[in-house]
Amino acid sequence: MTRLYQINGATLTPAKRKPLDLETKIEAWVADDLTLIGVDGFVIGRQIATDHGKFIDVLAMDEGGNLVIIELKRDRSPRDIVAQVLDYASWVRRLSTGDVHALALSLDLSLAKAYREKFGTSLPQTLNASHQMVVVASEVDEGTKRIIEYLSEEHDVGINAAFFNVFEANGQEWLTTDALLDQEEVKDRAVKKAQAPWSGYYYVTGGVEEDRPWEDMRQHGFFTASGKQFFTKRLDQLSVGDKVFYYQKKNGYLGYGIVTSEKVAATDYVLQDGRKLIDAVPKVYLTENSDDPDNCAYVVGMDWQKTVATNDARTFSGIFSNQNVVCKIRHQETVDYLKEQFDVKEDRA
């Protein structure tokens, strides 16, 4: 059970949990920032009417062009809300690409514009190849948790639960969020049937050159991410020996490498010559928020097998790119091109 305390000098004041009676506010918060529930996407609309005479609290779209149903528990029992969101999914799954466009137009939303503003690339031609569901609640009973886990882990149903808890102490309120399952894993299981098989290569990106100077990473053998845990936890996907292509936003692919060490705080990372990384690269992007594990920079060690300078980035029209810090590359044309450009031989991994 989550507990929260307010620090008052040398004493702790326990914060009391409040009932989840702020559904309208929470719906607005989620619609404004989908990362609160672990979803990387944008909102298509709120209170979306289905053909069943019901209304979906929030309907969103992820980077794959897939729909995400977000439903607040409100005053329904945990099992009732799971049944309700599954009913919504039975309607959403029948929406064709044309239907999704028509729905967006009826809401005065340009999907192409909204998608490009969020992800910086063109809207996929095929939409809603898969879908996901997120139930938002203060808690669900153990039986409901088992049902959600069973549907997701055994049958690849894209369903998850996000927990919002409100606490109060001395007139102040706090909101905490958590999830039953890792949303990225839920999504991967849900979409794998609609996707091409994984190539065996990972895509990683550090944003633009101003945020993550490529020469630092290239020279010292690392890759880094910082900010919210929504971004840095993606580094947990990488294990020693994994094969990686590095993409620089607004530029192209700059290198191919193999992971040599798993995620660690940037301030703790030690180079092969024994120096601390932050001594060799005393840059703000590695040291800011170093006392805050939720927002500090994290590093993954890399053996860069072949790299190019930023002014020689490798790309082509339609090449795979993604907003996620780490993800699997399933676009075979991109993989074939990158293997040729970076002289990747299968036996090198």
Side-chain angles (χ1 to χ4, degrees), residues 294-341:
D294 289 340
N295 293 289
C296 70
Y298 288 88
V299 165
V300 169
M302 294 295 305
D303 175 14
W304 295 114
Q305 302 276 299
K306 183 171 181 179
T307 63
V308 296
T310 55
N311 62 359
D312 192 26
R314 307 304 164 89
T315 189
F316 63 81
S317 178
I319 199 167
F320 174 82
S321 64
N322 195 286
Q323 290 294 101
N324 290 327
V325 172
V326 178
C327 66
K328 295 177 178 179
I329 305 179
R330 301 176 185 274
H331 190 246
Q332 194 59 47
E333 184 180 5
T334 293
V335 171
D336 291 343
Y337 171 81
L338 293 177
K339 288 171 66 177
E340 178 181 356
Q341 293 296 310

Side-chain angles (χ1 to χ4, degrees), residues 61-272:
M61 177 175 286
D62 69 12
E63 73 278 6
N66 301 309
L67 298 183
V68 185
I69 303 163
I70 302 162
E71 190 69 10
L72 275 69
K73 176 177 173 290
R74 301 189 189 278
D75 59 352
R76 289 166 288 192
S77 72
R79 296 196 186 195
D80 283 346
I81 186 60
V82 170
Q84 185 69 73
V85 79
L86 290 172
D87 185 38
Y88 292 157
S90 72
W91 174 73
V92 164
R93 76 179 181 90
R94 298 181 183 278
L95 297 179
S96 65
T97 297
D99 292 334
V100 176
H101 279 283
L103 174 61
L105 286 174
S106 73
L107 299 169
D108 295 323
L109 174 71
S110 168
L111 273 183
K113 180 180 179 181
Y115 188 93
R116 182 169 289 280
E117 287 178 351
K118 173 61 182 177
F119 299 112
T121 188
S122 300
L123 183 71
Q125 290 188 347
T126 301
L127 303 179
N128 200 34
S130 183
H131 58 273
Q132 301 147 57
M133 299 157 274
V134 181
V135 172
V136 179
S138 58
E139 61 183 358
V140 295
D141 58 51
E142 291 302 317
T144 302
K145 289 181 181 179
R146 289 195 298 271
I147 291 171
I148 292 174
E149 290 170 343
Y150 175 73
L151 290 172
S152 176
E153 297 173 352
E154 296 296 327
H155 293 283
D156 300 328
V157 176
I159 187 169
N160 199 3
F163 305 113
F164 277 45
N165 287 295
V166 178
F167 292 84
E168 181 180 28
N170 297 328
Q172 290 186 305
E173 292 182 327
W174 294 271
L175 179 73
T176 65
T177 65
D178 199 1
L180 178 61
L181 304 170
D182 183 280
Q183 182 59 29
E184 191 65 21
E185 293 179 2
V186 170
K187 183 184 73 172
D188 283 348
R189 285 193 291 267
V191 303
K192 70 180 182 181
K193 293 179 181 178
Q195 290 181 327
W198 178 36
S199 64
Y201 296 90
Y202 282 96
Y203 161 101
V204 298
T205 184
V208 295
E209 172 69 14
E210 306 90 82
D211 295 335
R212 298 287 184 272
W214 170 234
E215 195 57 36
D216 290 348
M217 294 186 282
R218 182 185 187 187
Q219 178 182 349
H220 296 286
F222 70 95
F223 168 71
T224 182
S226 62
K228 298 179 182 178
Q229 282 194 6
F230 175 75
F231 301 108
T232 58
K233 74 177 183 179
R234 308 241 176 186
L235 297 179
D236 294 332
Q237 298 178 54
L238 298 175
S239 301
V240 173
D242 284 343
K243 300 172 288 185
V244 166
F245 287 106
Y246 178 77
Y247 178 85
Q248 187 175 75
K249 188 176 180 181
K250 299 181 180 179
N251 193 9
Y253 284 88
L254 299 177
Y256 165 73
I258 298 173
V259 176
T260 58
S261 62
E262 297 176 9
K263 171 184 169 183
V264 65
T267 52
D268 295 332
Y269 187 73
V270 177
L271 300 171
Q272 289 188 348

